[in-house]
Amino acid sequence: MEKVTGYVTGVNGNLVSARFSGSVRKNEVGFVKIGNDRLKGEVIRISGDAVSMQIYEMTNGIQVGDEVELTGELLSVELGPGLLTQVYDGLQNPLPKLAEQCGFFLERGVYLDPIPDKEWEFTPCVKPGDAVLAGDAVGSVPEGQFTHLIMAPFDLKDEGWRVKSVKEKGVYRVRSTVAVLENGAGEEKALSMVFSWPVKQPIRCYEERLRPDETLVTKIRCIDTFLPVAKGGTFCVPGPFGAGKTVLQHMEAKNADVDIVIVAACGERAGEVVEVLKEFPELTDPRTGRSLMERTIIICNTSSMPVAAREASVYTAVTLAGYYRQMGLNVLLLADSTSRWAQALREMSGRLEEIPGDEAFPAYLESVIAGFYERAGRVRLKDGAIGSVTIGGTVSPAGGNFDEPVTQATLKVVGAFHGLSRARSDARRFPAIDPLDSWSKYRSVIEQGRVEALRAILRKGADVEQMMKVVGEEGTAMEDFVVFLKKELIDAVYLQQNAFNDVDASSSVERQRASFDVLEAAVSEAYAYTDKGEARRAFLGLQQAFIDWNNTPMGGADYDARREAVLKLVSEAPHA
């Protein structure tokens, strides 16, 4: 496509106004030239021959009259083998390679190939004469523990394309031609292992979109039992600073029943991003015993980087997730934090002089957030395989205020709400997810009626706790006080989980069901205590015995003995 050139007419922060004489389309990529530097940007508004571009680099030095060149291409990412283990910025530049070239302080205008030009062992799965549609596999290569499918580009039009030639099994460079397609008109298309796809266009090369009705097991008890997530579903984790979002994210990434984990650090403080980069390679994958990074991709965009790149980072992440879903894999995308992305939208909206909405966020905030979460889903592919993208976005509302626009817009579209509580985090009750304010629309690993029975005890116990703050313990009836103790027991032994204990950090579905059975029996009993001190001591003893059981590996004699110890304490308690 012929490149269109123009010139800068104005600069406002990272918004550049320019004028062109040729054809321009929205979301097209362009470059502003400053000396030898080419600064990447994207067209976000067109009015006649005038366009507005958001620039993904620092804009200092841009002057009126500087040349602007449009590429004719939409903002895209490269898809192919070699994505796993990589750490990218929002524009899919590999940060380790950038650091090697630029040092500690990254230079603007430097763009590197996202996928390393290395050799892969290619195995064809088509033969000359076979018909090929968009997204069909023409071969495969081994990528770590997965079979990475080499697919026909997703934008391949259905014009009777057939395989003209395909390479034999062997080792080839990632950008070398491995197959050639030909259509009825005699047009040919050479395929390599790599192709590009626009980040703002969902990948729809599947047969059917399915209902997200299979539980995504995270091995976190309070989530799997009380606030479940489904494969292909969506959930959000709003919470104040210091409430434990990062550790919770690590637990979900490490233990979730998925194949690929993608972490999008969107506009977070550099310190938190460094923590992710340091700790993820050290996390052990429970499946293989090796580093979790072998099936992880990190999109790294800190708050010190240009704000426009925050939008690119979330779309880059969800596009990579959709790519691996096309291989029949289950992908978990953790976006931290969508609030920073919304703040970038607010800043750009202000510079465009758009009519502001609530708290000066753009009026279209809800539709943008909905469009992002709608790219999650569980699908049946053309070959019958099932793949899924599950999206979990953290929200950082100022002061933990869940009534602010970003949280409310997110709650309208997600299927589960895991609200972190300042009171629980201050009391060191982790995960600090509030079990009463939070909710989920998905299926639990435990029967719903049994879960609701325990939730009712939690709710009634919380009411008693509030009453005790007014009338004191001595003014509380024994029956109500026992309900309060039952609530505390459920919280301490089931809702709370020790992320730093090798056993308790991950609780399998089988173990959760066994624990729930015993806990349900304990809190369903009607106790006949006459002294509140005696009742408290009994429940504390039961709580400690239960925690000891939680910390014991499943399947051994110690496990059975500690379970019996819990049941013995329940049976020995005075019953009504």
Side-chain angles (χ1 to χ4, degrees):
M1 185 178 293
E2 184 179 351
K3 294 181 179 179
V4 176
T5 59
Y7 60 91
V8 174
T9 59
V11 183
N12 182 5
N14 60 327
L15 179 71
V16 168
S17 302
R19 200 170 293 277
F20 294 88
S21 56
S23 175
V24 183
R25 57 178 173 164
K26 192 176 180 182
N27 301 128
E28 187 173 346
V29 172
F31 292 90
V32 179
K33 295 183 178 179
I34 308 177
N36 295 325
D37 293 336
R38 301 171 75 245
L39 308 185
K40 194 171 189 176
E42 178 189 12
V43 175
I44 57 175
R45 186 164 69 181
I46 303 173
S47 178
D49 61 350
V51 304
S52 298
M53 297 175 62
Q54 61 178 358
I55 306 300
Y56 295 120
E57 305 277 8
M58 296 298 182
T59 56
N60 51 308
I62 298 180
Q63 299 179 2
V64 172
D66 285 344
E67 184 181 353
V68 182
E69 179 183 85
L70 295 180
T71 62
E73 300 174 351
L74 301 180
L75 184 65
S76 305
V77 291
E78 278 195 354
L79 304 174
L83 292 169
L84 294 182
T85 75
Q86 293 285 356
V87 180
Y88 293 115
D89 68 2
L91 300 176
Q92 211 192 6
N93 290 306
L95 287 176
K97 294 292 184 183
L98 272 180
E100 289 179 11
Q101 181 169 325
C102 305
F104 289 112
F105 299 98
L106 302 182
E107 299 174 7
R108 64 178 185 174
V110 179
Y111 309 106
L112 304 179
D113 288 336
I115 295 178
D117 187 23
K118 58 181 289 190
E119 294 181 335
W120 296 87
E121 186 178 350
F122 175 76
T123 302
C125 60
V126 294
K127 59 184 184 297
D130 287 351
V132 175
L133 299 174
D136 286 354
V138 298
S140 65
V141 300
E143 184 182 18
Q145 55 189 292
F146 304 106
T147 299
H148 188 116
L149 299 182
I150 306 302
M151 294 175 277
F154 301 141
D155 58 353
L156 189 70
K157 304 299 182 184
D158 186 10
E159 298 173 351
W161 291 96
R162 294 186 176 274
V163 178
K164 181 179 181 181
S165 64
V166 62
K167 294 281 189 181
E168 297 180 353
K169 181 176 181 179
V171 177
Y172 304 96
R173 287 277 176 187
V174 72
R175 299 180 194 281
S176 61
T177 299
V178 294
V180 177
L181 306 182
E182 186 178 34
N183 64 9
E187 299 176 8
E188 293 187 0
K189 182 182 286 289
L191 304 185
S192 70
M193 302 183 198
V194 177
F195 64 91
S196 296
W197 182 255
V199 296
K200 294 186 178 179
Q201 293 184 12
I203 299 170
R204 294 195 174 97
C205 299
Y206 48 78
E207 192 69 30
E208 180 185 8
R209 192 179 177 97
L210 304 174
R211 183 181 178 85
D213 54 7
E214 181 183 350
T215 303
L216 172 63
V217 177
T218 64
K219 297 186 178 179
I220 302 172
R221 289 187 294 265
C222 67
I223 293 179
D224 293 344
T225 300
F226 288 90
L227 305 161
V229 177
K231 288 183 179 178
T234 56
F235 65 99
C236 69
V237 188
F241 173 73
K245 292 193 292 289
T246 302
V247 175
L248 180 60
Q249 202 173 55
H250 286 184
M251 292 177 68
E252 291 168 340
K254 180 178 179 179
N255 298 316
D257 181 24
V258 294
D259 302 304
I260 307 291
V261 177
I262 299 178
V263 179
C266 172
E268 282 297 300
R269 289 174 295 278
E272 289 196 17
V273 175
V274 169
E275 185 179 349
V276 170
L277 294 178
K278 282 185 175 180
E279 292 189 6
F280 258 77
E282 296 177 1
L283 292 178
T284 302
D285 187 349
R287 294 184 174 189
T288 63
R290 301 168 68 175
S291 172
L292 184 65
M293 275 300 294
E294 292 187 5
R295 58 184 182 95
T296 300
I297 305 171
I298 296 178
I299 311 297
C300 193
N301 181 267
T302 68
S303 56
S304 58
M305 294 180 178
V307 292
R310 298 178 188 178
E311 182 177 28
S313 66
V314 294
Y315 284 113
T316 295
V318 78
T319 304
L320 297 182
Y323 174 62
Y324 278 99
R325 180 175 66 181
Q326 287 298 122
M327 302 178 199
L329 299 175
N330 296 308
V331 186
L332 174 62
L333 167 58
L334 299 172
D336 183 17
S337 142
T338 55
S339 292
R340 310 282 187 256
W341 169 33
Q343 289 165 7
L345 290 174
R346 177 168 61 183
E347 184 172 329
M348 188 56 63
S349 175
R351 292 202 165 114
L352 289 170
E353 299 180 359
E354 296 173 334
I355 298 175
D358 193 13
E359 293 190 19
F361 284 103
Y364 48 81
L365 175 68
E366 289 187 9
S367 61
V368 172
I369 290 177
F372 169 66
Y373 280 101
E374 283 168 3
R375 291 178 68 168
R378 185 165 170 260
V379 300
R380 178 182 289 111
L381 304 174
K382 296 173 184 177
D383 61 359
I386 305 293
S388 69
V389 171
T390 307
I391 298 180
T394 66
V395 186
S396 305
N401 175 25
F402 291 170
D403 292 328
E404 57 89 38
V406 182
T407 304
Q408 289 301 309
T410 304
L411 291 179
K412 291 178 181 178
V413 295
V414 296
F417 164 54
H418 299 164
L420 300 184
S421 163
R422 167 63 70 190
R424 288 185 63 83
S425 66
D426 288 347
R428 295 295 181 262
R429 300 188 176 198
F430 294 111
I433 300 173
D434 191 311
L436 300 180
D437 289 343
S438 304
W439 47 262
S440 173
K441 301 176 183 177
Y442 301 122
R443 182 186 302 169
S444 171
V445 297
I446 308 290
E447 292 81 1
Q448 192 62 32
R450 300 171 65 194
V451 174
E452 290 305 318
L454 260 65
R455 199 192 305 273
I457 295 175
L458 287 172
R459 185 170 287 109
K460 187 174 180 181
D463 292 341
V464 173
E465 184 177 17
Q466 293 302 316
M467 180 185 69
M468 287 171 59
K469 292 178 181 178
V470 178
V471 302
E473 185 178 306
E474 63 279 359
T476 305
M478 178 58 75
E479 182 182 354
D480 290 339
F481 186 68
V482 170
V483 172
F484 165 71
L485 293 176
K486 288 179 179 180
K487 186 271 291 186
E488 290 291 286
L489 178 67
I490 297 171
D491 193 338
V493 306
Y494 204 87
L495 298 182
Q496 295 178 47
Q497 204 162 336
N498 187 355
F500 300 99
N501 181 284
D502 292 339
V503 177
D504 197 37
S506 62
S507 183
S508 66
V509 173
E510 181 184 2
R511 180 161 193 153
Q512 288 184 50
R513 287 172 175 160
S515 298
F516 192 90
D517 290 344
V518 175
L519 180 62
E520 183 182 38
V523 299
S524 299
E525 294 285 353
Y527 296 103
Y529 289 105
T530 57
D531 180 68
K532 291 174 182 173
E534 178 191 1
R536 181 185 289 105
R537 285 190 295 271
F539 270 88
L540 287 176
L542 179 60
Q543 174 181 314
Q544 187 57 52
F546 217 116
I547 291 174
D548 292 341
W549 182 34
N550 285 342
N551 295 336
T552 305
M554 195 173 184
D558 286 348
Y559 175 84
D560 293 334
R562 293 190 185 279
R563 178 181 180 276
E564 291 303 319
V566 173
L567 292 173
K568 183 180 179 182
L569 288 174
V570 174
S571 64
E572 290 177 348
H575 294 79

